Amino acid sequence: MHAMQYTFTLPADYPMDVIRERVARTGHLLDDWPGLGLKAYLVRERGKDGSPVNQYAPFYLWHTVEGMNSFLWDGAFQRPTDDFGRPAVRQWTGLAYEEGDAAGSPARVAVVRRRPVPDGVPLSEVAADAVRETGRSAAVDGALLAAAVVDTACWELVQFSLHAGEAPDGVEGEVFQVLHLSEPGRGLLTRGRQW
């Protein structure tokens, strides 16, 4: 499993309905993309759910690197870059993936929690903790799924989860509204630890 995210941080007075209309018009275009596990079309709005910014920040889980590369290099990624500029595309290697009890429900919110991999702790312990945390996140009432991924270039661990209702109480991380969920290969994402 590979994860990918890019963000467009928009002006404080940007009309976020423009993004909602864009996703309503074009979100279905990845509903059958080869190699894509899922794409969550995510937004944050300044002043809502603790967000300091307006942001469009799609999050992807890929079950093949070929699908990811095809998206980036064969034209689909050109549409948002033409409209908003070319963003940095973050990529992470998968550590764990689990389905939740609300797996068949529509996704309403996503939570993205980023933290550094601590120095002085064996990497095997960090990975095992990430696997356990993924299982706990997926077990929360109303969770659709949870994943843990890592960027070994900067040693950043990311926990990603989707929920059918509001963000769980006491959740740590950035809370996003899910505008659309394309999930052509979600069933092909390997559950459990990724090694």
Side-chain angles (χ1 to χ4, degrees):
M1 178 179 71
H2 306 277
M4 182 178 90
Q5 186 180 35
Y6 48 89
T7 60
F8 298 104
T9 301
L10 304 164
D13 61 350
Y14 190 85
M16 293 302 285
D17 284 342
V18 171
I19 301 298
R20 285 185 178 79
E21 291 166 8
R22 176 190 184 91
V23 171
R25 190 176 64 254
T26 65
H28 71 280
L29 295 175
L30 292 186
D31 286 353
D32 60 357
W33 193 272
L36 177 62
L38 65 90
K39 175 183 179 179
Y41 294 76
L42 307 180
V43 295
R44 296 196 300 163
E45 289 189 65
R46 186 172 185 243
K48 294 185 181 178
D49 293 317
S51 178
V53 296
N54 286 332
Q55 200 169 58
Y56 174 52
F59 196 97
Y60 302 73
L61 293 176
W62 298 92
H63 64 86
T64 72
V65 75
E66 293 85 3
M68 180 175 67
N69 286 339
S70 176
F71 173 80
L72 290 170
W73 302 112
D74 280 344
F77 184 59
Q78 193 64 48
R79 286 188 302 273
T81 61
D82 285 347
D83 292 342
F84 299 108
R86 186 184 307 153
V89 178
R90 300 288 313 274
Q91 296 182 29
W92 300 271
T93 300
L95 291 176
Y97 175 80
E98 293 293 348
E99 292 278 322
D101 67 346
S105 302
R108 184 168 176 206
V109 300
V111 178
V112 179
R113 179 180 175 210
R114 304 168 196 282
R115 62 186 190 275
V117 173
D119 289 329
V121 178
L123 295 176
S124 60
E125 290 180 23
V126 172
D129 286 346
V131 171
R132 284 190 292 272
E133 177 62 26
T134 302
R136 285 190 295 270
S137 295
V140 169
D141 189 42
L144 277 70
L145 59 89
V149 296
V150 65
D151 178 345
T152 55
C154 64
W155 293 104
E156 176 188 57
L157 182 66
V158 175
Q159 297 282 159
F160 172 76
S161 58
L162 290 176
H163 304 271
E166 298 293 326
D169 289 337
V171 70
E172 293 180 37
E174 298 170 336
V175 177
F176 294 86
Q177 180 185 3
V178 180
L179 299 182
H180 180 73
L181 185 64
S182 293
E183 48 189 342
R186 181 169 161 187
L188 299 173
L189 294 170
T190 303
R191 292 182 69 167
R193 73 180 211 167
Q194 304 291 302
W195 72 97

